[in-house]
Amino acid sequence: MASTATDALLQQVHRIHDIGRALSVLSWDREVNMPKAGDSARVQQMTTLRQLLHQFATSDDYGAAIESAAAELDGLPEDDDRRCLVRVLRRDYDRSRKLPEAFVLELSRVGAAAWTVWKQAREDNDFSNFQPHLSHLVELQREMAGLYGYEQDPYDALLDGYEEGARAAQVGAVFAAVKAATVPLLEAIAERGRSIDDSLLHQPFPVAGQEAFARHVGAVVGYDFARGHLGTAVHPFATVFDRNDARITTRWYPDFLSPSLFGTLHECGHAMYEQGTAEALARTPLGRGCSSGIHESQSRMIENLVGRSRVFWRAHFPSLQAQFPQQLGQADAEAFYRAINKVQPSLIRVEADELTYNLHIILRFELEQAMLSGDLPAGDLPGAWRDGMQRLLGVAPPDDREGCLQDVHWSGASFGYFPTYALGNLHAAQMFEAALASDPGVGLDLAAGRTDALLGWLREQVHRHGRKFSPDTLIERATGRPLGHEAFVRYVTSKFSDLYGLA
Ligand code: ZN
């Protein structure tokens, strides 16, 4: 079909897309390869590209091109790729146009300074240095929410940037249900659960062996190394330059196996999502994950529902044992399964087990809402954090380094992001249940340690659509119902009751 306005729009879309991906390459290289001395030059290069990107993505010309194409495509089915593209372009364009350039620069300047101070404050365990920066960032976030606009809650305007259509009230209700089911389960485990020994994970594991196994297990779960790359980073992440170039990073602890193993599986889940987006969506904003929460569902699915399952390790523990005969020669798959699933209320979110993890998120969700509404002045954050940890997890941090200074998000001006981690867990459980119910082959495959049928379902229901649909639409199409807490609660209740002998 000759569609001149759409073709003209696509040219602009491709240009913006390519600049964005070039920025990602610079950023990936900065984290993985670049000598420290290159940093200031790199920041300049990235700033120039960012300015260019902002100019193109907010120009009147671009807005007009979107509207001309929209008029041309009117009447096509709602799930047509080009119509979905126009929907997403309009949304992104409107959001970027709402922030004046001066505000964007101010936020970036304040955020960069806050990040540097936060890093030092965390090292020195000194919240008081970070406090004025946090106050300033909260003010700017409030202003940003006003610029974006919202109906009820300023928090909604920020959350919407990561999870289209999500609202604080609805997320809060789902989280309350998760909390109501999780807390009694944790109490039961503490009171009458059998004890689990995870010392086999804490032994010297040579890094070369960890890397060899990471490559093996990544391929086993379906990450395509021919269209990927495994690198090393302090804070592991996945990054995508194209569906045929979706890279992951991980970190290696010489005497603890879990971070590299589960970090790799997690990032593989993210990258496999991007590798599975449809070719036709490439070089547009549709050729990427749907939202932060849906993205996290894919990483959590591979890391936890697959990678921490009993059936997976029944099939793959022998290969791990062959890699580490000295360390694991005497252990068996069941002992390993128990060790990697030990439940232990702890202080640090990124080290939390599957059951307590969401409680860490619920705390952050409550606190950032309170800061944004003005109910919680930044100076009262450390105390509120301690109280919240005590209330939700029964443990309190001895200092702020292990408390409110542990995460990078707020210092990086990301407010409203945290809930997407827990939403990812809920989406993952609901999708997993739906996949098992839709095709007996999924369960049979998993029982044999294979993910092909599961991956087939995910490709069909989730991956290939990229960002065509909103998260609500996607989960409803894939599972037949809106996102709820039920599947997750069923999953953890059954898994941990069995593991801890509560049934
Ligand atoms: Zn993730």
Side-chain angles (χ1 to χ4, degrees):
M1 182 162 85
S3 48
T4 48
T6 308
D7 291 343
L9 172 65
L10 278 174
Q11 275 189 9
Q12 296 205 43
V13 167
H14 291 159
R15 181 169 63 175
I16 291 167
H17 174 87
D18 291 348
I19 296 173
R21 292 297 163 101
L23 255 170
S24 305
V25 178
L26 292 185
S27 158
W28 172 84
D29 177 74
R30 184 186 183 202
E31 306 246 348
V32 178
N33 293 324
M34 192 192 71
K36 262 193 178 154
D39 203 49
S40 65
R42 181 56 52 88
V43 169
Q44 285 164 347
Q45 295 152 3
M46 291 175 68
T47 305
T48 299
L49 283 187
R50 259 194 208 110
Q51 280 168 341
L52 210 56
L53 192 64
H54 184 76
Q55 280 167 21
F56 286 141
T58 56
S59 74
D60 294 342
D61 194 36
Y62 184 48
I66 296 173
E67 290 316 312
S68 305
E72 194 173 78
L73 299 171
D74 197 31
L76 286 173
E78 258 184 49
D79 62 352
D80 178 90
D81 286 355
R82 287 160 299 175
R83 257 195 86 163
C84 292
L85 176 63
V86 164
R87 184 188 73 78
V88 165
L89 292 177
R90 267 183 174 152
R91 173 179 148 81
D92 291 353
Y93 181 76
D94 288 346
R95 270 184 81 87
S96 0
R97 291 268 289 197
K98 281 179 179 164
L99 303 186
E101 198 164 346
F103 179 83
V104 175
L105 285 175
E106 163 88 345
L107 186 62
S108 147
R109 192 184 55 76
V110 173
W115 181 79
T116 309
V117 172
W118 162 77
K119 246 182 117 179
Q120 194 60 46
R122 186 171 73 158
E123 216 173 295
D124 302 343
N125 186 28
D126 184 0
F127 177 78
S128 64
N129 277 338
F130 180 54
Q131 183 192 320
H133 294 266
L134 181 61
S135 292
H136 196 176
L137 280 171
V138 170
E139 257 170 57
L140 290 174
Q141 293 294 308
R142 212 176 282 141
E143 195 181 333
M144 187 158 85
L147 289 165
Y148 282 138
Y150 53 87
E151 275 168 25
Q152 287 174 340
D153 188 337
Y155 190 85
D156 290 344
L158 305 180
L159 181 59
D160 191 63
Y162 304 106
E163 206 62 17
E164 181 185 354
R167 297 291 174 262
Q170 152 229 349
V171 170
V174 176
F175 283 2
V178 169
K179 183 166 77 175
T182 307
V183 171
L185 190 52
L186 278 170
E187 283 167 2
I189 289 171
E191 281 162 20
R192 51 198 173 86
R194 64 163 75 101
S195 75
I196 285 179
D197 178 8
D198 66 348
S199 57
L200 61 88
L201 299 171
H202 299 270
Q203 305 181 64
F205 288 95
V207 166
Q210 291 191 48
E211 187 174 346
F213 192 77
R215 289 182 183 281
H216 168 74
V217 82
V220 161
V221 296
Y223 176 55
D224 183 356
F225 277 94
R227 298 191 291 139
H229 177 277
L230 171 65
T232 300
V234 185
H235 302 286
F237 61 96
T239 191
V240 179
F241 311 135
D242 181 71
R243 63 190 293 280
N244 293 319
D245 187 357
R247 304 186 187 188
I248 60 170
T249 57
T250 196
R251 58 179 152 192
W252 319 98
Y253 287 27
D255 48 14
F256 185 21
L257 185 60
S258 299
S260 75
L261 181 53
F262 294 102
T264 300
L265 287 170
H266 183 96
E267 302 308 335
C268 280
H270 280 303
M272 284 154 61
Y273 185 6
E274 302 272 345
Q275 289 180 334
T277 54
E279 180 91 64
L281 308 179
R283 279 185 96 197
T284 77
L286 297 188
R288 51 180 293 190
C290 163
S291 69
S292 302
I294 299 289
H295 230 300
E296 196 64 8
S297 76
Q298 300 308 293
S299 55
R300 287 285 175 168
M301 174 114 49
I302 298 302
E303 176 191 356
N304 291 334
L305 289 107
V306 173
R308 287 184 210 267
S309 70
R310 182 181 268 135
V311 285
F312 188 79
W313 289 106
R314 271 192 193 146
H316 300 292
F317 187 68
S319 332
L320 182 63
Q321 226 172 2
Q323 187 69 57
F324 297 111
Q326 269 185 322
Q327 295 86 341
L328 301 173
Q330 303 304 311
D332 60 24
E334 182 64 19
F336 185 73
Y337 167 68
R338 288 182 187 202
I340 59 175
N341 284 294
K342 182 174 181 165
V343 170
Q344 180 96 67
S346 64
L347 300 172
I348 307 295
R349 173 184 63 87
V350 296
E351 293 167 7
D353 58 79
E354 236 180 317
L355 193 54
T356 56
Y357 187 90
N358 293 326
L359 299 175
H360 289 264
I361 297 305
I362 291 171
L363 171 66
R364 288 152 178 77
F365 174 62
E366 290 172 358
L367 294 176
E368 61 184 7
Q369 285 183 91
M371 283 193 281
L372 200 66
S373 71
D375 289 347
L376 178 66
D380 294 344
L381 179 65
W385 188 286
R386 276 192 295 276
D387 295 348
M389 285 297 290
Q390 193 64 54
R391 172 169 52 82
L392 287 161
L393 285 148
V395 291
D399 55 34
D400 295 331
R401 188 181 359 219
E402 292 192 288
C404 65
L405 286 174
Q406 66 181 268
D407 294 304
V408 66
H409 303 62
W410 291 334
S411 76
S414 292
F415 288 72
Y417 187 90
F418 279 122
T420 70
Y421 290 120
L423 292 174
N425 290 330
L426 307 186
H427 276 296
Q430 190 165 318
M431 287 178 193
F432 197 70
E433 229 180 43
L436 286 168
S438 79
D439 173 8
V442 172
L444 288 170
D445 235 22
L446 289 169
R450 290 192 305 262
T451 55
D452 306 59
L454 175 67
L455 196 52
W457 187 91
L458 291 171
R459 289 248 151 93
E460 177 63 23
Q461 300 293 336
V462 183
H463 297 182
R464 72 185 171 97
H465 300 303
R467 207 181 146 208
K468 275 180 72 175
F469 306 116
S470 72
D472 287 348
T473 306
L474 187 82
I475 191 74
E476 187 122 24
R477 283 174 60 116
T479 70
R481 59 208 151 95
L483 179 67
H485 64 283
E486 296 86 351
F488 178 80
V489 169
R490 276 193 287 275
Y491 162 67
V492 289
T493 305
S494 144
K495 174 173 180 173
F496 291 100
S497 300
D498 163 75
L499 193 73
Y500 278 92
L502 302 175

